[in-house]
């Protein structure tokens, strides 16, 4: 068993007392320590800027040309905090409980409570940075509701919350780059983690413009590289989002926790054909005022305006009257898929349900709906050619967020000393299902308010600059990385990288997607292995290594997905229960809801790499619940 190192004592005192016991680095000594931050989205930009402000020597790496292109920019609906401005009964404990329950009781109490307690500081920080949160008529910060909560605690900037928060973090990062405490490396991709005597001491990276393989040494490494939903090929993630940095760290000894915990978002524009390379999210905030329904008659192809109220099934309101359209994402997604699978779906192929704003427009007026959601409606119209003010949106579930990630302890440190993992790249806070508007909260909490304390405790215990890039571990890793690139380019097969990625995505969606089964998962593992073998025999990669080569970039990422997909399927096969976004068809209630097995699976599954063709070793971290009762999750 592994130890999450959660501090003892009352829940509400753990973090403050823990901070008091952490070691510090003298201000004059901070500049002697070098910290590498990989990724420049919300978690990475907030961490790099904060560590730079403290005086550390920070090097930030980003595969985009600017941090403003980080996928955090795509988050739409909002960020949670327990300020209770609407005076509707919210509190830090209620946010903590909603998050634990929303994750189907598969996350650490201590981590989640810390996140809830820090949430209010995040809002103050972002307001001070000038983030233009929505305000009410009196000028106070406004709030709206998100799934899995019966209070309004989500702060938002129309449908552009992620973008505005990232601009705030980017401005803080830019200030540190200008001051010289942060050195920024754009258009670079981490390809390996260098570990010396069990400690992370640097990275190997490729300059994506010149193609040069290079290395940087440091005293600690922070991975802030996001999630792995693109293993499904079609997802709401940016096309460049990938698992490579985290997976290469896994292959160097970092444990990978709960990889099967993936979130399928219920509110996405439906797939229209094989020509698509990604899917588009319609913010969960739309479910505040939009009502989800399907016709009561199978295969009803009439226009929605011709279907009367008594011919409509508002199935979320019917099945979950307590939360209605604001049920958590995993539950809403399964309900929508169930309606479509039974023949009640709408649109091409019956793969859609309606999200209807007619009642809201009648109640609030079109001008108010435009004020709240206008940019989302505009985006929907550009994609579909349909006016959602005149007819309901069509939505369908799609891969969106991943709750699994590299295992970290309470300090956000992996089992490899000096390797810290922040934001979506770690597994720590969301259990088996993330509540909406909590991703932005976690990324900024990790970067602004947690890592400055916990990384100092690590650095204070070591001497700076002990290892340089001349060390044999760096030399060997550079050699291995170059050999991998040469091997990929030498195959010269007949199929494109995208072909293999699309085939992998189909396997993952069909067999490791919204519903899994023992037979399906075993089939998935066999198919993934066969596809991986074919990839290494028959992939075609054009171009040269010493130039800008996007096919080579994609090939490395897809090669990692082809290994990682098998790990996801294996983890799903081992977890013989249903919980949150992990739904095994063999384990469900008579009502079709997830059926947990707390006696055998109230733990974190953390996998240790043993070789490409060898079964990884499964470690477990027991989850202890001292402040909440393990009850069957109900939103009725």
């Amino acid at each position: 068993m592994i130890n999450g190192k959660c501090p003892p004592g009352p829940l509400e005192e753990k973090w403050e007392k823990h901070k008091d016991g952490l070691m510090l680095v003298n201000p004059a000594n901070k500049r002697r320590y070098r910290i590498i931050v990989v990724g420049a989205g919300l978690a990475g930009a907030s961490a790099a800027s904060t560590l730079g402000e403290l005086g550390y020597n920070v090097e930030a790496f980003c595969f985009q040309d600017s941090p403003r292109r980080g996928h955090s920019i795509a988050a739409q609906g909002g960020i949670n905090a327990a300020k209770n401005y609407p005076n509707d009964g919210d509190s830090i404990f209620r946010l903590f409980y909603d998050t634990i329950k929303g994750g189907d009781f598969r996350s650490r109490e201590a981590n989640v409570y810390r996140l809830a307690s820090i949430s209010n500081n995040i809002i103050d920080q972002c307001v001070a940075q000038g983030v233009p949160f929505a305000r009410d008529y009196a000028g106070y910060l406004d709030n709206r509701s998100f799934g899995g909560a019966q209070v309004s605690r989500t702060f938002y900037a129309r449908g552009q919350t992620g973008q505005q928060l990232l601009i705030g973090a980017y401005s803080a990062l830019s200030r540190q780059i200008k001051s010289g405490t942060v050195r920024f490396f754009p258009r670079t991709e981490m390809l390996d983690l260098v570990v010396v005597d069990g400690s992370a001491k640097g990275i190997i990276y490729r300059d994506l413009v010149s193609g040069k393989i290079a290395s940087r040494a440091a005293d600690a490494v922070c991975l802030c590289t996001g999630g792995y939903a693109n293993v499904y090929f079609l997802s709401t993630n940016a096309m460049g989002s990938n698992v490579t940095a985290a997976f290469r760290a896994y292959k160097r000894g970092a444990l990978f926790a709960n990889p099967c915990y993936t979130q399928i978002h219920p509110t996405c524009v439906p797939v229209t054909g094989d020509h698509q390379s990604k899917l588009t999210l319609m913010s969960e905030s739309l479910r505040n005022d939009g009502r989800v329904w399907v016709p009561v008659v199978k295969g009803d192809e009439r226009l929605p305006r011709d279907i009367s109220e008594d011919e409509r099934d508002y199935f979320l309101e019917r099945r979950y009257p307590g939360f209605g359209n604001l049920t958590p994402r995993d539950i809403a997604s399964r309900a929508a898929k169930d309606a479509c699978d039974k023949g009640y779906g709408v649109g091409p192929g019956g793969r859609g349900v309606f999200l209807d704003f007619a009642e809201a427009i009648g109640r609030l007026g079109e001008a108010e709906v435009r004020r709240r959601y206008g940019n989302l409606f505009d985006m929907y119209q550009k994609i579909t050619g349909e006016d959602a003010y005149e007819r309901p949106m069509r939505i369908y579930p799609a891969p969106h967020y991943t709750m699994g990630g590299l295992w970290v302890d309470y300090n956000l440190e992996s089992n490899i000393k000096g390797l810290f993992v922040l934001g979506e790249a770690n597994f720590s806070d969301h259990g088996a299902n993330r509540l909406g508007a909590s991703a932005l909260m976690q990324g900024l909490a990790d970067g602004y308010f947690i890592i400055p304390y916990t990384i100092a405790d690590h650095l204070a215990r070591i001497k700076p600059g002990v290892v340089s890039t001349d060390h044999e571990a760096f030399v060997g890793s550079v050699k291995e990385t170059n050999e991998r690139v040469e091997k990929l380019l030498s195959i010269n097969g007949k199929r494109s990288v995208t072909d293999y990625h699309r085939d992998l995505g189909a396997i993952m969606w069909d067999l490791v997607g919204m519903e899994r089964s023992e037979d399906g998962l075993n089939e998935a593992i066999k198919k993934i292995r066969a596809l991986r073998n074919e990839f290494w025999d028959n992939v075609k990669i054009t171009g040269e290594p010493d130039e800008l080569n996007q096919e080579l970039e994609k090939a490395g990422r897809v090669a990692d997905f082809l290994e990682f997909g098998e790990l996801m399927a294996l983890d799903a096969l081992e977890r013989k229960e249903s919980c949150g976004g992990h739904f095994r068809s063999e384990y469900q209630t008579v009502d079709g809801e997830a059926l947990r097995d707390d006696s055998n699976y109230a733990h974190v599954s953390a996998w240790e790499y043993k070789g490409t063709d060898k079964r990884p070793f499964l470690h477990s971290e027991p989850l202890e619940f001292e402040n909440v009762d393990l009850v069957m999750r109900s939103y009725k």
Side-chain angles (χ1 to χ4, degrees):
M1 292 187 181
I2 49 178
N3 182 4
K5 301 178 184 176
C6 296
L11 187 65
E12 62 276 8
E13 298 177 4
K14 288 181 186 291
W15 176 232
E16 292 302 321
K17 287 188 174 180
H18 183 66
K19 285 195 298 183
D20 290 341
L22 294 173
M23 295 184 69
L24 301 176
V25 178
N26 183 292
N29 287 336
K30 285 187 172 75
R31 68 180 68 94
R32 299 173 60 203
Y33 290 95
R34 176 176 290 132
I35 302 170
I36 287 175
V37 178
V38 184
L42 278 182
S46 60
S49 59
T50 305
L51 295 170
E53 180 76 36
L54 287 170
Y56 292 107
N57 181 0
V58 180
E59 295 183 343
F61 291 78
C62 168
F63 72 74
Q64 307 284 10
D65 58 351
S66 166
R68 289 188 61 179
R69 292 185 183 272
H71 185 60
S72 300
I73 202 170
Q76 297 168 345
I79 177 172
N80 288 329
K83 282 187 172 290
N84 194 32
Y85 284 169
N87 197 30
D88 56 359
D90 201 11
S91 66
I92 289 173
F93 186 87
R94 193 175 294 275
L95 174 54
F96 155 75
Y97 183 78
D98 286 348
T99 305
I100 289 281
K101 178 184 174 183
D104 215 351
F105 303 92
R106 289 295 177 261
S107 49
R108 288 193 199 123
E109 282 191 341
N111 284 71
V112 176
Y113 191 88
R114 174 175 64 185
L115 177 63
S117 65
I118 288 173
S119 65
N120 293 339
N121 295 337
I122 298 171
I123 302 304
D124 296 339
Q125 167 88 0
C126 294
V127 169
Q129 289 177 333
V131 173
F133 287 123
R135 296 179 180 268
D136 62 19
Y137 182 78
Y140 294 104
L141 294 179
D142 200 8
N143 291 109
R144 57 189 179 197
S145 299
F146 260 61
Q150 290 183 306
V151 297
S152 295
R153 63 162 68 99
T154 303
F155 295 77
Y156 63 98
R158 294 187 79 187
Q160 305 171 357
T161 313
Q163 178 182 9
Q164 299 302 327
L165 292 171
L166 188 57
I167 290 173
Y170 172 63
S171 65
L173 177 59
S174 297
R175 179 174 178 271
Q176 296 308 313
I177 293 172
K178 175 68 173 178
S179 69
T181 62
V182 176
R183 185 180 177 190
F184 187 57
F185 294 79
R187 302 296 291 133
T188 55
E189 181 171 27
M190 173 183 158
L191 297 181
D192 204 359
L193 176 74
V194 180
V195 180
V196 178
D197 297 330
S199 294
K201 291 298 182 182
I203 65 170
I204 309 301
Y205 66 94
R206 181 173 183 266
D207 185 312
L208 297 180
V209 177
S210 70
K212 180 183 178 182
I213 304 294
S215 57
R216 300 295 295 182
D219 302 296
V221 176
C222 296
L223 289 190
C224 313
T225 50
Y228 48 85
N230 273 351
V231 71
Y232 292 98
F233 183 65
L234 288 178
S235 81
T236 66
N237 284 194
M239 289 179 63
S241 298
N242 63 85
V243 76
T244 288
F247 194 69
R248 302 291 173 86
Y250 161 72
K251 296 181 84 168
R252 288 297 181 186
L255 301 179
F256 211 113
N258 300 334
C260 77
Y261 287 168
T262 55
Q263 183 173 86
I264 311 298
H265 198 294
T267 317
C268 300
V269 179
V271 177
T272 58
D274 291 339
H275 64 281
Q276 283 184 268
S277 56
K278 75 176 300 295
L279 300 175
T280 302
L281 173 69
M282 289 285 103
S283 170
E284 183 176 314
S285 64
L286 294 170
R287 289 196 280 142
N288 270 280
D289 293 305
R291 301 178 70 193
V292 179
W293 64 275
V294 293
V296 297
V297 177
K298 293 182 180 180
D300 192 334
E301 296 182 356
R302 289 179 293 168
L303 293 174
R305 66 169 178 265
D306 297 330
I307 302 175
S308 62
E309 281 292 313
D310 59 358
E311 296 177 297
R312 302 179 178 188
D313 178 15
Y314 294 91
F315 57 90
L316 290 179
E317 298 173 27
R318 170 175 56 82
R319 293 175 61 174
Y320 310 100
F323 284 72
N325 296 296
L326 287 174
T327 55
R329 292 174 177 177
D330 60 318
I331 291 175
S333 290
R334 282 198 298 274
K337 181 179 183 293
D338 181 61
C340 294
D341 288 348
K342 291 178 178 177
Y344 298 100
V346 300
R351 291 295 170 188
V353 299
F354 287 127
L355 182 61
D356 196 339
F357 288 85
E359 187 274 337
I361 290 172
R363 172 170 48 88
L364 301 170
E366 184 176 317
E368 176 61 16
V369 173
R370 286 183 181 275
R371 185 189 72 82
R372 296 181 182 184
Y373 312 111
N375 62 309
L376 297 171
F377 277 59
D378 293 344
M379 186 165 62
Y380 180 82
Q381 185 168 23
K382 288 181 179 179
I383 294 170
T384 65
E386 299 173 6
D387 185 352
Y389 297 105
E390 299 294 330
R391 61 183 296 172
M393 289 183 180
R394 290 176 296 107
I395 58 171
Y396 191 72
H400 175 61
Y401 188 88
T402 52
M403 287 74 66
L406 292 181
W407 182 88
V408 292
D409 63 16
Y410 189 71
N411 285 341
L412 304 184
E413 188 174 24
S414 76
N415 58 298
I416 297 176
K417 290 294 182 184
L419 176 63
F420 295 82
V421 191
L422 285 63
E424 191 178 357
N426 75 33
F427 87 101
S428 64
D429 293 341
H430 305 299
N433 173 65
R434 176 179 67 80
L435 291 184
S438 289
L440 304 180
M441 177 174 64
Q442 185 210 350
L444 293 181
D446 288 356
Y448 282 138
F449 296 105
I450 299 174
I451 197 63
Y453 292 95
T454 60
I455 203 169
D457 187 72
H458 165 73
L459 296 173
R461 301 172 190 272
I462 65 173
K463 293 181 179 180
V466 172
V467 177
S468 73
T469 56
D470 295 329
H471 191 280
E472 61 183 358
F474 280 90
V475 175
S477 185
V478 168
K479 183 175 182 291
E480 291 176 21
T481 302
N482 277 307
E483 289 173 350
R484 180 182 172 91
V485 169
E486 291 170 4
K487 182 177 180 181
L488 284 168
L489 288 169
S490 69
I491 297 170
N492 197 28
K494 296 181 179 180
R495 294 187 62 193
S496 71
V497 175
T498 300
D499 279 347
Y500 285 103
H501 196 181
R502 185 181 286 108
D503 285 355
L504 172 64
I507 295 169
M508 298 300 296
W509 177 250
D510 291 340
L511 302 174
V512 200
M514 290 185 65
E515 185 172 309
R516 297 102 182 251
S517 69
E518 182 175 358
D519 290 344
L521 291 166
N522 280 316
E523 182 184 356
I525 291 171
K526 292 178 182 178
K527 286 186 172 181
I528 293 168
R529 287 175 179 171
L531 187 66
R532 183 169 68 240
N533 290 335
E534 184 192 339
F535 172 90
W536 284 102
D537 285 337
N538 197 35
V539 72
K540 174 72 173 181
I541 304 169
T542 57
E544 300 296 331
D546 53 351
E547 64 182 11
L548 192 153
N549 189 336
Q550 293 183 319
E551 280 299 295
L552 178 59
E553 294 173 36
K554 287 193 294 182
R557 297 165 188 171
V558 172
D560 290 328
F561 276 139
L562 283 165
E563 290 188 56
F564 179 69
E566 182 177 339
L567 181 64
M568 285 178 61
L570 179 61
D571 187 46
L573 186 63
E574 285 292 315
R575 186 167 286 276
K576 296 177 173 62
E577 66 164 352
S578 292
C579 56
H582 168 63
F583 191 80
R584 286 281 297 267
S585 59
E586 306 97 322
Y587 308 104
Q588 55 182 300
T589 68
V590 294
D591 297 326
E593 304 294 348
L595 183 61
R596 294 196 324 266
D597 180 355
D598 295 330
S599 298
N600 296 303
Y601 294 98
H603 64 246
V604 177
S605 297
W607 296 89
E608 180 185 356
Y609 179 73
K610 291 296 184 180
T612 300
D613 297 318
K614 296 180 180 179
R615 180 186 173 89
F617 184 81
L618 177 59
H619 300 265
S620 66
E621 177 198 340
L623 293 171
E624 298 178 359
F625 296 92
E626 302 173 349
N627 299 275
V628 300
D629 294 326
L630 281 170
V631 298
M632 291 305 297
R633 195 168 57 141
S634 174
Y635 291 93
K636 297 181 178 181

